[in-house]
Amino acid sequence: MIDGKLSGEVYYPSEEVISNANIKDWDALNKAATDDYEGFWSNEADNLHWFLKWDKVLDDSEKPFYKWFTGGKTNIAHNCLDVHINTHRKNKLALIWEGENGDHSTMSYFRLYKETCKFANILRSLGVTKGDRVTIYMGRIPEIVIAMLACARIGAIHSVVYGGFSVESLHERIEDSQSKVLIVSDGAYQRGKIIPLKNIADEALQRAGIVEHVLVVKRTGQEVYMESGRDMWYHELMNLPIANYNNKCEVMDSEDPLFILYTSGTTGKPKAILHTHGGYMVGTYTTMKYVFDIKDSDRYWCAADPGWITGHSYIVYAPLLNGATSFMYEGAHTYPYPNRWWQIVEKYGINILYMAPTAIRGLMRFGDAWANRHDLSSLRLLGSVGEPINPEAWRWLYKVIGREKCPIMDTWWQTETGMFIITPMPCVPLKPGSGTKPFPGIEADILDEEGKPVKTGEEGYLVLKTPWPAMVRTIYNDPQRLVEQYWSRFPGVYMTGDSARRDEDGYYWIIGRVDDVIKVSGYRLGTAEIESALVSHPAVAEAAAIGIPHELKGNAIHAFVILRQGFARSEKLIEELKLHIGHEVGPIAKPEKIEFMDTLPKTRSGKIMRRVLKAKELGLDPGNISTLEE
Ligand code: WT7
């Protein structure tokens, strides 16, 4: 900083943006939150409804298993719905939905409340009670919101599996969570085609025998198999007398589980990240209010999928907690033409649009004309999430979509953090590609191999030093893994798995993952999942997967395989392996390139050295290979 001026390419907020913002002085808020961290969060929690007030804001007696608002009784679904229907928001739209095929619907808070109560009664009548796990596998349709809220309302733990995942991913998640109920849709529209979700689920269920009830939402209407005694239509159930509006909301302890969400980690199977009612509610509510600066008159659109944390936190829970109107779109952003999103913004008068850099890059390549054809003047705020946004895409978004008047909130966070962690607010000066600074009161740092803070501008491990309300509480079924994965590398601090640097103004710049997680189009995948899908194919003896920088996707997957005896290398086999991964994990996990190998570089202890493969692929020096076996 020179003379109060920030260094580099800086975009200062306009007078208009500042005068309309909920928070006009970031430094003052940050100081207040830093001086009295617990008081800050306690004040925010006071804006929500508690059946019984908490005794303690932050309980750190069992670090790193931090607890928040202990002794408090609440229910996040009650705060999303019940509290609004006794206010002016009763008839306000909670959800606006558009299908890829042009179908559309709206739902007021009152209606969403009633539908949720009805479905909660159905779930209870099937024997689902507090603490039971329910798997949800659907496209982006309003029923996914109803299903999540109904689970929360009765204290069941929802486990949403992204509709782009396939047979083995779904099977593994049902099995690990031991869900007795699966809520699925017959299919989902994507790029004019139908993804046969129910068929995929049937195949997954053949591998997992624990599911007793499958509740099927009719969306696409194609013929599906319905197993008698197991499968029931959602719309038929919702017409039964039991599906009435009288539903008593379960009173939950602040620390009672709300949901689990599987995410890829460094090794092995995906981890079930567990979030709770109290802290998650306070964290998502507060960050949405301050960062997206939500107003009662806003129409807000988070273009993510509810099946990922972005959708959980910022399509479903945070907007509803804030009494906002949330828009959801079912389909692909370029279908049928690259103006689909801009058409939607114009048609519905969207004010806030939150999206992934990969989508921005994907739309940018079609040029400005598609966007310029539409009136985008309703937009006042933009958001980006999922991976670093390259300055070029940032500037395009700022200029062509935001017409140089919409600040861009580049929000860095994770499934594990539950809420935004490094993020600007509208009143904060922006630098393209930087998420600016940690949310008020939260302390981050960048450490070297020894755990010492690096110098300004140097790259290191991004860590968090302050606990925050929406933080992951445990890994379901495997609490020890929480300690090992996040709290062991540098004792006492949370290790994010990302590398980053900090500039002279204290702004953070995320570089990327430093572990075996690959971000493909913003989707998080583990090398382990791709590799285990490959070796489940009869032709494959061993496999390694790496991420290689890719212009549109951020990263693309390259895989290396050693074939079993008796199998011949061929282009046809490569295609077959790609299809196999698509079928087992999901289309997003399909490698861009598969290469046959005689050996894979390994350490003497037998670990595949992916960085050597990556260096070779990029034509770089593989670095220290003294531990290489051969
Ligand atoms: C990883 C977490 C939480 C939202 C969706 C992703 C990367 C996320 C940003 C950003 C640079 C980002 C990080 C992080 N990431 N947001 N604004 N700038 N990188 O959640 O699937 O748990 O992935 O996404 O690498 O660790 P997730």
mmCIF file of all heavy atoms in Angstrom, residues 233-252:
data_model
loop_
_atom_site.group_PDB
_atom_site.id
_atom_site.type_symbol
_atom_site.label_atom_id
_atom_site.label_comp_id
_atom_site.label_asym_id
_atom_site.label_seq_id
_atom_site.Cartn_x
_atom_site.Cartn_y
_atom_site.Cartn_z
ATOM 1 N N TRP A 233 -44.208 -43.516 -5.745
ATOM 2 C CA TRP A 233 -44.184 -42.203 -6.401
ATOM 3 C C TRP A 233 -44.405 -41.099 -5.372
ATOM 4 O O TRP A 233 -45.329 -41.147 -4.572
ATOM 5 C CB TRP A 233 -45.250 -42.111 -7.483
ATOM 6 C CG TRP A 233 -44.912 -42.890 -8.708
ATOM 7 C CD1 TRP A 233 -45.457 -44.071 -9.110
ATOM 8 C CD2 TRP A 233 -43.933 -42.536 -9.702
ATOM 9 N NE1 TRP A 233 -44.889 -44.484 -10.291
ATOM 10 C CE2 TRP A 233 -43.948 -43.559 -10.682
ATOM 11 C CE3 TRP A 233 -43.052 -41.472 -9.865
ATOM 12 C CZ2 TRP A 233 -43.114 -43.542 -11.802
ATOM 13 C CZ3 TRP A 233 -42.221 -41.443 -10.973
ATOM 14 C CH2 TRP A 233 -42.263 -42.479 -11.931
ATOM 15 N N TYR A 234 -43.587 -40.097 -5.454
ATOM 16 C CA TYR A 234 -43.685 -38.921 -4.579
ATOM 17 C C TYR A 234 -45.066 -38.267 -4.686
ATOM 18 O O TYR A 234 -45.708 -37.975 -3.678
ATOM 19 C CB TYR A 234 -42.573 -37.952 -4.996
ATOM 20 C CG TYR A 234 -42.550 -36.603 -4.337
ATOM 21 C CD1 TYR A 234 -41.820 -36.402 -3.170
ATOM 22 C CD2 TYR A 234 -43.225 -35.517 -4.896
ATOM 23 C CE1 TYR A 234 -41.768 -35.154 -2.574
ATOM 24 C CE2 TYR A 234 -43.179 -34.264 -4.304
ATOM 25 C CZ TYR A 234 -42.451 -34.081 -3.147
ATOM 26 O OH TYR A 234 -42.405 -32.848 -2.574
ATOM 27 N N HIS A 235 -45.531 -38.064 -5.929
ATOM 28 C CA HIS A 235 -46.812 -37.348 -6.080
ATOM 29 C C HIS A 235 -47.981 -38.147 -5.533
ATOM 30 O O HIS A 235 -48.968 -37.585 -5.097
ATOM 31 C CB HIS A 235 -47.045 -36.935 -7.542
ATOM 32 C CG HIS A 235 -47.129 -38.080 -8.501
ATOM 33 N ND1 HIS A 235 -46.030 -38.617 -9.129
ATOM 34 C CD2 HIS A 235 -48.189 -38.813 -8.921
ATOM 35 C CE1 HIS A 235 -46.418 -39.611 -9.920
ATOM 36 N NE2 HIS A 235 -47.722 -39.751 -9.802
ATOM 37 N N GLU A 236 -47.870 -39.462 -5.552
ATOM 38 C CA GLU A 236 -48.946 -40.275 -4.964
ATOM 39 C C GLU A 236 -48.899 -40.182 -3.441
ATOM 40 O O GLU A 236 -49.924 -40.022 -2.781
ATOM 41 C CB GLU A 236 -48.832 -41.727 -5.434
ATOM 42 C CG GLU A 236 -49.251 -41.893 -6.890
ATOM 43 C CD GLU A 236 -49.100 -43.321 -7.417
ATOM 44 O OE1 GLU A 236 -48.709 -44.227 -6.641
ATOM 45 O OE2 GLU A 236 -49.364 -43.519 -8.618
ATOM 46 N N LEU A 237 -47.713 -40.259 -2.896
ATOM 47 C CA LEU A 237 -47.571 -40.147 -1.439
ATOM 48 C C LEU A 237 -48.083 -38.791 -0.948
ATOM 49 O O LEU A 237 -48.764 -38.698 0.073
ATOM 50 C CB LEU A 237 -46.101 -40.295 -1.032
ATOM 51 C CG LEU A 237 -45.479 -41.678 -1.221
ATOM 52 C CD1 LEU A 237 -43.968 -41.617 -1.028
ATOM 53 C CD2 LEU A 237 -46.090 -42.686 -0.246
ATOM 54 N N MET A 238 -47.777 -37.753 -1.716
ATOM 55 C CA MET A 238 -48.161 -36.398 -1.297
ATOM 56 C C MET A 238 -49.673 -36.177 -1.375
ATOM 57 O O MET A 238 -50.167 -35.139 -0.927
ATOM 58 C CB MET A 238 -47.422 -35.347 -2.138
ATOM 59 C CG MET A 238 -45.935 -35.265 -1.850
ATOM 60 S SD MET A 238 -45.512 -34.605 -0.219
ATOM 61 C CE MET A 238 -45.206 -32.888 -0.617
ATOM 62 N N ASN A 239 -50.402 -37.147 -1.949
ATOM 63 C CA ASN A 239 -51.861 -37.054 -1.985
ATOM 64 C C ASN A 239 -52.527 -37.876 -0.900
ATOM 65 O O ASN A 239 -53.751 -37.889 -0.783
ATOM 66 C CB ASN A 239 -52.381 -37.510 -3.351
ATOM 67 C CG ASN A 239 -52.430 -36.352 -4.319
ATOM 68 O OD1 ASN A 239 -52.638 -35.216 -3.899
ATOM 69 N ND2 ASN A 239 -52.198 -36.629 -5.584
ATOM 70 N N LEU A 240 -51.753 -38.578 -0.115
ATOM 71 C CA LEU A 240 -52.329 -39.404 0.949
ATOM 72 C C LEU A 240 -52.756 -38.515 2.127
ATOM 73 O O LEU A 240 -52.163 -37.457 2.348
ATOM 74 C CB LEU A 240 -51.301 -40.424 1.444
ATOM 75 C CG LEU A 240 -50.820 -41.485 0.451
ATOM 76 C CD1 LEU A 240 -49.724 -42.336 1.083
ATOM 77 C CD2 LEU A 240 -51.984 -42.364 0.002
ATOM 78 N N PRO A 241 -53.766 -38.971 2.886
ATOM 79 C CA PRO A 241 -54.211 -38.184 4.048
ATOM 80 C C PRO A 241 -53.077 -37.903 5.041
ATOM 81 O O PRO A 241 -53.054 -36.847 5.680
ATOM 82 C CB PRO A 241 -55.279 -39.073 4.691
ATOM 83 C CG PRO A 241 -55.696 -40.034 3.633
ATOM 84 C CD PRO A 241 -54.569 -40.193 2.686
ATOM 85 N N ILE A 242 -52.144 -38.826 5.134
ATOM 86 C CA ILE A 242 -51.035 -38.634 6.082
ATOM 87 C C ILE A 242 -50.187 -37.413 5.707
ATOM 88 O O ILE A 242 -49.569 -36.776 6.558
ATOM 89 C CB ILE A 242 -50.176 -39.924 6.166
ATOM 90 C CG1 ILE A 242 -49.006 -39.766 7.152
ATOM 91 C CG2 ILE A 242 -49.617 -40.336 4.830
ATOM 92 C CD1 ILE A 242 -49.395 -39.953 8.549
ATOM 93 N N ALA A 243 -50.222 -37.077 4.411
ATOM 94 C CA ALA A 243 -49.430 -35.934 3.959
ATOM 95 C C ALA A 243 -50.183 -34.635 4.220
ATOM 96 O O ALA A 243 -50.487 -33.868 3.322
ATOM 97 C CB ALA A 243 -49.108 -36.074 2.473
ATOM 98 N N ASN A 244 -50.484 -34.374 5.479
ATOM 99 C CA ASN A 244 -51.196 -33.136 5.807
ATOM 100 C C ASN A 244 -50.207 -32.087 6.307
ATOM 101 O O ASN A 244 -49.012 -32.324 6.380
ATOM 102 C CB ASN A 244 -52.287 -33.423 6.837
ATOM 103 C CG ASN A 244 -51.707 -34.091 8.066
ATOM 104 O OD1 ASN A 244 -50.736 -33.604 8.632
ATOM 105 N ND2 ASN A 244 -52.275 -35.229 8.463
ATOM 106 N N TYR A 245 -50.767 -30.915 6.618
ATOM 107 C CA TYR A 245 -49.887 -29.786 6.955
ATOM 108 C C TYR A 245 -49.460 -29.769 8.422
ATOM 109 O O TYR A 245 -48.680 -28.907 8.818
ATOM 110 C CB TYR A 245 -50.587 -28.470 6.621
ATOM 111 C CG TYR A 245 -51.067 -28.398 5.196
ATOM 112 C CD1 TYR A 245 -52.356 -27.991 4.891
ATOM 113 C CD2 TYR A 245 -50.214 -28.740 4.152
ATOM 114 C CE1 TYR A 245 -52.791 -27.926 3.584
ATOM 115 C CE2 TYR A 245 -50.641 -28.682 2.835
ATOM 116 C CZ TYR A 245 -51.934 -28.280 2.563
ATOM 117 O OH TYR A 245 -52.358 -28.222 1.267
ATOM 118 N N ASN A 246 -50.041 -30.660 9.207
ATOM 119 C CA ASN A 246 -49.699 -30.629 10.632
ATOM 120 C C ASN A 246 -48.433 -31.422 10.884
ATOM 121 O O ASN A 246 -48.455 -32.648 10.897
ATOM 122 C CB ASN A 246 -50.828 -31.229 11.479
ATOM 123 C CG ASN A 246 -52.102 -30.464 11.256
ATOM 124 O OD1 ASN A 246 -52.066 -29.241 11.116
ATOM 125 N ND2 ASN A 246 -53.216 -31.177 11.181
ATOM 126 N N ASN A 247 -47.376 -30.702 11.047
ATOM 127 C CA ASN A 247 -46.123 -31.385 11.310
ATOM 128 C C ASN A 247 -45.383 -30.639 12.393
ATOM 129 O O ASN A 247 -45.113 -29.446 12.288
ATOM 130 C CB ASN A 247 -45.261 -31.435 10.050
ATOM 131 C CG ASN A 247 -43.933 -32.090 10.326
ATOM 132 O OD1 ASN A 247 -42.982 -31.440 10.738
ATOM 133 N ND2 ASN A 247 -43.864 -33.392 10.132
ATOM 134 N N LYS A 248 -45.059 -31.371 13.439
ATOM 135 C CA LYS A 248 -44.343 -30.743 14.545
ATOM 136 C C LYS A 248 -42.855 -30.796 14.236
ATOM 137 O O LYS A 248 -42.299 -31.852 13.974
ATOM 138 C CB LYS A 248 -44.666 -31.467 15.852
ATOM 139 C CG LYS A 248 -44.710 -30.517 17.012
ATOM 140 C CD LYS A 248 -45.234 -31.197 18.277
ATOM 141 C CE LYS A 248 -44.688 -30.496 19.512
ATOM 142 N NZ LYS A 248 -43.268 -30.574 19.733
ATOM 143 N N CYS A 249 -42.259 -29.646 14.280
ATOM 144 C CA CYS A 249 -40.836 -29.548 13.982
ATOM 145 C C CYS A 249 -40.033 -30.154 15.138
ATOM 146 O O CYS A 249 -40.342 -29.924 16.302
ATOM 147 C CB CYS A 249 -40.512 -28.066 13.816
ATOM 148 S SG CYS A 249 -38.810 -27.727 13.547
ATOM 149 N N GLU A 250 -39.035 -30.932 14.806
ATOM 150 C CA GLU A 250 -38.178 -31.557 15.818
ATOM 151 C C GLU A 250 -37.283 -30.484 16.457
ATOM 152 O O GLU A 250 -36.648 -29.707 15.741
ATOM 153 C CB GLU A 250 -37.308 -32.615 15.128
ATOM 154 C CG GLU A 250 -36.648 -33.603 16.038
ATOM 155 C CD GLU A 250 -37.580 -34.693 16.561
ATOM 156 O OE1 GLU A 250 -38.502 -35.126 15.836
ATOM 157 O OE2 GLU A 250 -37.368 -35.095 17.716
ATOM 158 N N VAL A 251 -37.267 -30.453 17.760
ATOM 159 C CA VAL A 251 -36.381 -29.503 18.445
ATOM 160 C C VAL A 251 -34.978 -30.109 18.479
ATOM 161 O O VAL A 251 -34.775 -31.175 19.038
ATOM 162 C CB VAL A 251 -36.886 -29.207 19.870
ATOM 163 C CG1 VAL A 251 -35.876 -28.350 20.634
ATOM 164 C CG2 VAL A 251 -38.245 -28.510 19.802
ATOM 165 N N MET A 252 -34.034 -29.436 17.825
ATOM 166 C CA MET A 252 -32.690 -29.998 17.698
ATOM 167 C C MET A 252 -31.698 -29.282 18.602
ATOM 168 O O MET A 252 -31.784 -28.071 18.800
ATOM 169 C CB MET A 252 -32.196 -29.876 16.249
ATOM 170 C CG MET A 252 -33.096 -30.513 15.206
ATOM 171 S SD MET A 252 -33.295 -32.287 15.406
ATOM 172 C CE MET A 252 -31.740 -32.876 14.729
#
